Amino acid sequence: MAATLVAARIQRNWLQRLSVIDIFLWAFRLAVLAAVVVGTFRTLYSGRYAGEVWLDFVVFGVSQGSVYALIALGYTMVYGILRMINFAHGDIFMCGAYTAYYAAGALYRAGVFNRQPLLSLAIILAVAVTASTSVALLVERVAYRPLRRAPRLVPLISAIGASFFIEYAVRGLYGSGFQAYPEFEVFKGKWNVFGIGILRTQAVVIVATLILMGLLYLFVMRTKTGTAMRAVSEDMEVAALMGINVDRIIVITFAVGAAAAGAAGVLYALVFKQVHFFMGFYPGIKAFTAAVLGGIGNIPGAMLGGLFLGLFESVGPILVLDGLGIVAPYQLKDVIAFTMLVMVLIFRPSGILGERLAGKKA
Amino acid sequence: MTLLDVENLHVYYGQIHALKGITLHVDPGEIVTLIGANGAGKSTTLKTISGLLRPREGRITLSGQDLAALPAHEVVAKGVVQVPEGRRIFGQLTVHENLSMGAYTRTERDGIDGDLERIFTLFPRLKERRAQVAGTLSGGEQQMLAIGRALMSQPKVLLLDEPSMGLAPVLVEQIFETITGINQLGTTVLLVEQNAYMALQIAQRGYVLQTGEIALSGSAKDLQANVEVRKAYLGG
């Protein structure tokens, strides 16, 4: 008797607790799930796309995702230490790509570009990394450091201001048109890897990203400075008590994140072959999505989140939307990316690898 | 010759006058304890010496060198290191990485490795767990790690903020024994404690803090015998 009463009370509480918002969220979840399942099923059933097409989309997704992952590292590392989203990061990526364009153009005119492609790529990368890093350090010094002790909203607004400043400074200096990036002759066409034809540019992007990520991971996990970075991100005050110069570590963090973004800028330009003053906006927001998806503040999470996002974005439209009878589904790839951002923020704000963030850092 | 000298220290939190002219000194080789109730200003004093808080007035010197103007990370390089309240080890780092962060200001590989071995002999448990993530250690082990991490900087003066807080009585004894041991090996100790009974047993001298001022000071024996101290801090 008593037990049933208690049971009844628990049940009523559960029903009472079920709010309109909960019902809406569940409906949203179910609707997305149903759309994904139905769309996937119908696409596969129709058999409209052959195996190689899928493979192309997967490879494109991975290469696109690598670029996102490289940019996402900067967001996640800065967040890990300052608990701040550096919204100017996408524009730091743009600065890298833009300067690389001038370096590439100069090398092209000098005739070195296609005679020494690897050397040229190395020079372009070095120029882009230097430019991105310089801009990032300037932004940190001018727009963020004076606000270190301000409430958290203040540096965020400052970041958005810095983002606009960089965009329109580049527009003012170099014009608002698209600039065509020269193409490497050796990277035209496809390579055959295990019987699979892969676009050479995409292969270069994937390999370069793997190398850079490996180096970065070693730097953060194995070096003294990397360990200090992790220590500062956990407890800034105690890190200072151990003799770590926190300001210096923050500068290094910005520099490393910006270097990755600068390299990403070159890789992005290799694939899309043009630069533009506003080109940092979408990749920046996408990389931010990737960082949130992987668990912001978590470095392996950013790598994983970038790859996932790239894959979903490239395979998702034809896999899901096509099956739902949507015409020209590829134009909706941004919808997929941002639906994912919204869903992650609602249902798993800590991201894929970010359990530890939920309580302590967020 | 005084090692650490604090003179007429005034510290504010915004409008709140937290330290109202603290003067104290620590001689080489001593254990000196700061006791007092919650909010008396014990931790504030240590934080100011460490450079985390800026005094509005007063001087802090180590063997005559001014510390008050230095940022926290340079104070460590001068030879004053703090074990903060609540241990605050780096929970995501391994035991070994925590210890290596303690030696951050040092560059001589051999000296660091030697000190690492010394700390592992002092705390064998840490050696067993050197590759383990520090957040998974027990409270007592974390306190050992926090002390070991501070010792890795080869301090002249070790500042300890409530090392016994939140530990089981057996472990409290052990921690105080460890502090005595460290002191006998030549490190000067400034110990902040709420456990006045234990603190006065291992210290040579003590200061009693009350609402930001030194209410009483003297040898540990005198303080233990003092009626006021007995009533307020030693339970009769």
Side-chain angles (χ1 to χ4, degrees):
Chain A
M1 183 67 193
T4 51
L5 267 178
V6 170
R9 180 170 300 161
I10 289 171
Q11 204 169 16
R12 201 172 58 224
N13 280 346
W14 180 80
L15 270 175
Q16 280 169 342
R17 257 188 272 129
L18 195 70
S19 68
V20 181
I21 295 170
D22 282 333
I23 295 171
F24 177 78
L25 287 182
W26 274 103
F28 182 61
R29 251 187 264 215
L30 289 176
V32 170
L33 193 70
V36 169
V37 170
V38 170
T40 308
F41 182 75
R42 288 183 49 180
T43 307
L44 294 179
Y45 190 73
S46 75
R48 200 174 315 161
Y49 299 100
E52 307 98 71
V53 181
W54 288 114
L55 213 68
D56 280 348
F57 276 105
V58 168
V59 173
F60 178 72
V62 171
S63 82
Q64 184 73 12
S66 323
V67 175
Y68 292 157
L70 275 179
I71 309 173
L73 284 170
Y75 279 108
T76 236
M77 287 168 69
V78 167
Y79 182 86
I81 287 192
L82 291 179
R83 306 288 176 271
M84 177 201 114
I85 304 295
N86 176 12
F87 273 117
H89 192 60
D91 302 297
I92 284 159
F93 154 84
M94 178 270 289
C95 287
Y98 225 103
T99 4
Y101 158 76
Y102 282 103
L107 289 169
Y108 191 76
R109 282 189 297 278
V112 188
F113 197 70
N114 279 316
R115 249 185 297 135
Q116 294 281 352
L118 276 182
L119 178 71
S120 304
L121 189 61
I123 294 176
I124 295 168
L125 271 173
V127 170
V129 164
T130 315
S132 288
T133 311
S134 321
V135 174
L137 295 188
L138 204 68
V139 169
E140 193 271 336
R141 189 72 194 81
V142 175
Y144 304 151
R145 197 183 300 180
L147 303 173
R148 186 92 23 98
R149 287 173 190 282
R152 299 214 313 186
L153 196 58
V154 178
L156 200 69
I157 295 167
S158 182
I160 294 171
S163 164
F164 279 124
F165 179 86
I166 298 171
E167 279 165 19
Y168 289 95
V170 169
R171 183 181 130 148
L173 287 171
Y174 307 117
S176 60
F178 286 90
Q179 321 263 18
Y181 212 78
E183 241 179 300
F184 282 104
E185 290 295 331
V186 274
F187 295 153
K188 278 184 183 161
K190 290 189 172 191
W191 269 316
N192 216 322
V193 184
F194 306 118
I196 303 164
I198 294 180
L199 278 179
R200 292 182 179 192
T201 45
Q202 291 177 358
V204 170
V205 169
I206 294 169
V207 170
T209 304
L210 284 177
I211 295 172
L212 287 171
M213 296 230 167
L215 286 177
L216 194 104
Y217 195 75
L218 284 179
F219 171 70
V220 173
M221 298 308 288
R222 293 274 178 272
T223 66
K224 187 173 165 184
T225 309
T227 313
M229 270 163 90
R230 286 181 287 140
V232 170
S233 104
E234 246 191 82
D235 193 330
M236 216 179 260
E237 196 174 75
V238 174
L241 283 181
M242 293 303 115
I244 298 171
N245 183 344
V246 173
D247 271 335
R248 209 177 127 252
I249 293 294
I250 290 173
V251 165
I252 293 173
T253 307
F254 269 94
V256 171
V266 174
L267 299 179
Y268 189 87
L270 273 185
V271 175
F272 292 97
K273 301 176 185 73
Q274 59 187 20
V275 293
H276 181 238
F277 79 95
F278 204 58
M279 70 180 280
F281 182 73
Y282 273 103
I285 298 272
K286 296 274 179 66
F288 169 64
T289 306
V292 172
L293 182 65
I296 191 136
N298 184 313
I299 291 176
M303 300 177 181
L304 210 63
L307 284 181
F308 265 127
L309 186 69
L311 268 178
F312 283 135
E313 215 186 69
S314 118
V315 178
I318 56 162
L319 184 63
V320 177
L321 300 181
D322 196 68
L324 295 173
I326 292 168
V327 188
Y330 214 71
Q331 290 180 3
L332 291 178
K333 70 184 175 76
D334 292 348
V335 173
I336 291 199
F338 296 124
T339 308
M340 277 179 70
L341 175 63
V342 171
M343 297 213 27
V344 169
L345 287 175
I346 294 175
F347 299 117
R348 195 177 161 79
S350 54
I352 302 172
L353 297 181
E355 296 100 321
R356 66 188 174 95
L357 293 178
K360 210 182 114 209
K361 293 189 177 171
Chain B
M1 167 72 195
T2 303
L3 184 57
L4 181 69
D5 206 0
V6 174
E7 238 175 85
N8 189 31
L9 207 60
H10 286 266
V11 177
Y12 290 75
Y13 288 111
Q15 292 296 311
I16 300 159
H17 198 171
L19 296 188
K20 303 162 187 164
I22 299 281
T23 298
L24 59 84
H25 67 99
V26 183
D27 291 330
E30 269 190 316
I31 298 182
V32 173
T33 182
L34 272 178
I35 56 178
N38 254 339
K42 304 181 305 262
S43 292
T44 307
T45 309
L46 287 200
K47 280 187 176 171
T48 313
I49 296 172
S50 277
L52 291 176
L53 296 172
R54 288 266 156 270
R56 196 173 289 183
E57 229 182 282
R59 294 189 336 126
I60 305 166
T61 51
L62 181 77
S63 317
Q65 279 182 300
D66 185 30
L67 293 186
L70 297 180
H73 62 93
E74 285 176 33
V75 172
V76 181
K78 293 282 182 214
V80 179
V81 74
Q82 184 182 152
V83 180
E85 184 178 347
R87 310 185 263 285
R88 287 169 75 177
I89 50 148
F90 301 117
Q92 313 278 338
L93 271 53
T94 65
V95 168
H96 184 250
E97 284 171 338
N98 266 279
L99 292 171
S100 71
M101 283 299 100
Y104 188 78
T105 49
R106 298 169 61 190
T107 46
E108 0 63 89
R109 264 258 66 90
D110 295 348
I112 294 175
D113 287 344
D115 277 358
L116 198 62
E117 281 315 310
R118 228 161 295 150
I119 280 159
F120 283 149
T121 16
L122 199 60
F123 304 115
R125 287 302 281 272
L126 295 184
K127 186 168 191 175
E128 286 167 34
R129 294 170 189 248
R130 62 193 295 176
Q132 200 171 318
V133 172
T136 60
L137 298 181
S138 73
E141 289 164 347
Q142 291 191 3
Q143 187 62 67
M144 291 172 195
L145 179 58
I147 293 174
R149 180 179 66 175
L151 288 177
M152 284 301 288
S153 71
Q154 275 192 324
K156 294 186 187 112
V157 182
L158 182 67
L159 310 175
L160 288 156
D161 197 353
E162 305 274 7
S164 75
M165 194 176 70
L167 295 183
V170 191
L171 289 172
V172 172
E173 297 248 351
Q174 209 180 320
I175 289 291
F176 278 102
E177 272 169 36
T178 308
I179 296 168
T180 316
I182 291 165
N183 176 248
Q184 276 159 4
L185 290 173
T187 308
T188 307
V189 175
L190 177 58
L191 170 68
V192 158
E193 260 296 342
Q194 289 217 39
N195 188 340
Y197 177 78
M198 291 294 283
L200 288 174
Q201 279 195 332
I202 66 164
Q204 281 95 51
R205 289 190 302 114
Y207 294 87
V208 179
L209 248 72
Q210 230 163 39
T211 57
E213 284 169 297
I214 304 265
L216 210 61
S217 66
S219 76
K221 285 224 165 46
D222 290 346
L223 288 178
Q224 274 172 316
N226 184 293
V227 183
E228 303 270 311
V229 174
R230 293 183 74 95
K231 223 191 281 174
Y233 307 109
L234 301 177

